[in-house]
Amino acid sequence: MTETARHTLHTLFKAALGAVEPGAALAPHLDRVGERLRNEGLQRLVVAGFGKAAIPMALAAQERLGALISSGLVIAPHGTPPFKKGELETIEVAFAGHPHPDSAGEAAARRIMAQAHTCGERDLLLLLISGGGSALLAAPAEGITLEEKRVTAHLLMAAGADIFELNCVRKHLSAVKGGQLARLAFPARVMALMISDVPGDRLDVIASGPAVADPTTFGDALGVLGRFGLTDRVPPAVRQRLEQGNAGMVAETPKPDDPLFATVESIVAARNRDALSAAAGTAQALGLEVNISEEIVAGEAREAGRRLAHEALRCRANLSAGQRGCLVSGGETTVTVRGTGRGGRNQELALAFALEVAATPGITLLSAGTDGIDGPTDAAGAIVDGETVPLARRAGLDPVASLADNDAYPLLDACGALLRCGPTGTNVMDLQICLITGGSVTP
């Protein structure tokens, strides 16, 4: 892999992250919050937040709204980079488990619920929501323990459930998700500012939509378990609650026709498309011919990697010698865990891509999570090219076996292919940026 290609990909990735940085993305919306407080005669501004970008979002709120904030609490993942003392004067930070919820998250979620419940009709509850919020805002429904909910989520993720299926079940095992936080806050005004980490930017799916009407039902949640063969594998209390809900014995989550949502406003302040557009714009400025995919990268990570590789090979065949192109795409894949290895969805996608382009010059791919985290590893993803697989084999490693064992991390690490940038403070799903040079000229 040439240093030029690696440097270019780092430049494009940095541009993408800059476009979805919370401070810049939230600024105009936070200014409008101040205007609402002044123009609508509201008495209190209460801030609550949860997600991987909770602290940067809280810092943006503190900077723009300052003394207007009466109180606040946000929940961020354990290990989130610290902020400077004094930067958050009126907003408290609690740390909790992600991707697996813990007791700290439950305690903080109960505090946010109590905070929302105290809001009156002349108060504004400002919600700062970002990816990872589902795990951090962990308040199981009555009769369900945190461990039972955690086991259920783990089974779904290991089976390859996508974010829509996972959150459908989560909502119906929760006391706060699926519009239930908005129900607690009613009749207060609620304004939710969101950084989207879900395909299609569906409001009801971002952090499981705690302030958004829920179009799914207990029956839908049971259907998800059935499709993955998990009905008899989830904890009995989970199955019992979903069955009771389906029979009308447990209250449903609030639906779109519920009048409580007349006082709720939800805004997506940053999304995957913003990051893609920024990367593409920077690539064009560097003289590359750019194509942004209209299709969301989804499905099994290894299959998505193969599809992207075939697209890159077709693109290379259509370029003249030395002509440079760039394919930009984004989304979120899943991994059905069958092996015992270590890695993440971007690493698995990258390794599958590398196998398809092995020994082909002029193709280099970056696949990474915009949150800087890929699975339970210290990498955001990986940068691979036609030399990655030959290099691994010369080192005595078997890329095919590694992929089969969901063990991309050690191989990519040995090849110097991992992308490590640390937590980024934002989260708009994943990015794939592919540099392509036509003919036999390497990028």
Side-chain angles (χ1 to χ4, degrees):
M1 182 184 307
T2 69
E3 284 304 313
T4 300
R6 181 179 288 274
H7 176 75
T8 299
L9 287 170
H10 276 282
T11 298
L12 301 183
F13 187 54
K14 183 178 180 180
L17 295 179
V20 292
E21 188 275 321
L26 265 60
H29 308 293
L30 293 171
D31 289 344
R32 197 162 68 81
V33 170
E35 293 173 4
R36 287 191 63 181
L37 288 169
R38 290 186 291 271
N39 298 335
E40 297 177 25
L42 300 177
Q43 291 182 329
R44 290 197 309 150
L45 172 61
V46 178
V47 177
F50 29 89
K52 295 178 184 178
I55 291 178
M57 294 177 83
L59 288 169
Q62 183 74 57
E63 180 183 352
R64 309 296 291 200
L65 300 171
L68 295 175
I69 300 172
S70 299
S71 63
L73 172 63
V74 299
I75 313 172
H78 292 303
T80 300
F83 52 94
K84 295 178 182 178
K85 185 177 180 180
E87 283 185 315
L88 291 175
E89 298 174 356
T90 51
I91 303 174
E92 183 183 349
V93 179
F95 295 95
H98 181 276
H100 304 297
D102 60 12
S103 58
E106 181 173 6
R110 299 290 180 190
R111 290 181 60 195
I112 284 179
M113 291 169 65
Q115 180 178 262
H117 195 54
T118 64
C119 291
E121 61 181 346
R122 295 187 65 188
D123 296 332
L124 175 60
L125 176 62
L126 174 62
L127 299 178
L128 307 174
I129 303 174
S130 56
S134 288
L136 295 168
L137 191 73
E142 185 177 356
I144 302 294
T145 67
L146 185 62
E147 180 60 22
E148 288 167 338
K149 191 175 177 185
R150 187 160 47 200
V151 167
T152 302
H154 177 75
L155 287 169
L156 285 164
M157 287 188 280
D162 63 26
I163 190 65
F164 303 104
E165 295 162 325
L166 179 62
N167 281 2
C168 171
V169 176
R170 277 172 164 166
K171 292 175 187 178
H172 291 90
L173 300 177
S174 173
V176 68
K177 297 179 174 69
Q180 295 180 87
L181 183 59
R183 183 158 61 189
L184 281 171
F186 185 79
R189 318 289 176 86
V190 178
M191 185 173 183
L193 300 182
M194 306 180 183
I195 294 180
S196 173
D197 71 327
V198 301
D201 306 315
R202 278 180 46 179
L203 301 180
D204 63 300
V205 182
I206 302 170
S208 299
V212 180
D214 179 22
T216 70
T217 65
F218 280 103
D220 294 330
L222 281 171
V224 171
L225 297 185
R227 282 197 297 278
F228 290 100
L230 298 176
T231 305
D232 295 325
R233 294 182 60 195
V234 298
V238 168
R239 184 175 66 251
Q240 181 181 19
R241 175 177 171 80
L242 297 182
E243 289 174 345
Q244 288 178 340
N246 193 43
M249 300 168 62
V250 176
E252 259 289 1
T253 49
K255 302 306 174 197
D257 59 353
D258 195 310
L260 75 87
F261 293 111
T263 61
V264 178
E265 180 181 8
S266 298
I267 299 168
V268 177
R271 67 199 79 208
N272 185 260
R273 194 70 184 182
D274 299 329
L276 299 186
S277 297
T282 304
Q284 287 174 334
L286 293 175
L288 281 69
E289 295 189 15
V290 181
N291 178 48
I292 303 181
S293 175
E294 295 298 325
E295 294 186 11
I296 293 172
V297 178
E300 280 288 331
R302 62 185 64 185
E303 293 302 323
R306 291 173 183 135
R307 289 195 300 270
L308 286 171
H310 295 161
E311 183 180 357
L313 289 167
R314 286 193 297 270
C315 178
R316 183 176 182 273
N318 291 325
L319 294 175
S320 57
Q323 187 178 9
R324 299 188 303 156
C326 179
L327 303 178
V328 181
S329 57
E332 185 168 293
T333 60
T334 56
V335 174
T336 301
V337 180
R338 297 185 176 91
T340 59
R342 189 179 182 206
R345 59 180 181 261
N346 285 286
Q347 295 163 58
E348 186 145 318
L349 184 154
L351 181 54
F353 181 99
L355 280 163
E356 297 298 312
V357 302
T360 303
I363 298 177
T364 310
L365 172 78
L366 177 151
S367 183
T370 54
D371 58 358
I373 302 166
D374 188 36
T377 75
D378 61 353
I383 300 176
V384 298
D385 66 1
E387 285 301 308
T388 303
V389 165
L391 178 61
R393 286 173 172 155
R394 287 196 297 272
L397 302 172
D398 185 342
V400 174
S402 294
L403 188 61
D405 195 32
N406 303 117
D407 200 28
Y409 180 92
L411 183 145
L412 293 170
D413 195 20
C415 295
L418 291 177
L419 173 64
R420 293 181 173 96
C421 60
T424 64
T426 191
N427 184 20
V428 292
M429 300 192 291
D430 302 334
L431 296 180
Q432 288 78 38
I433 308 173
C434 186
L435 301 181
I436 305 166
T437 302
S440 59
V441 181
T442 55

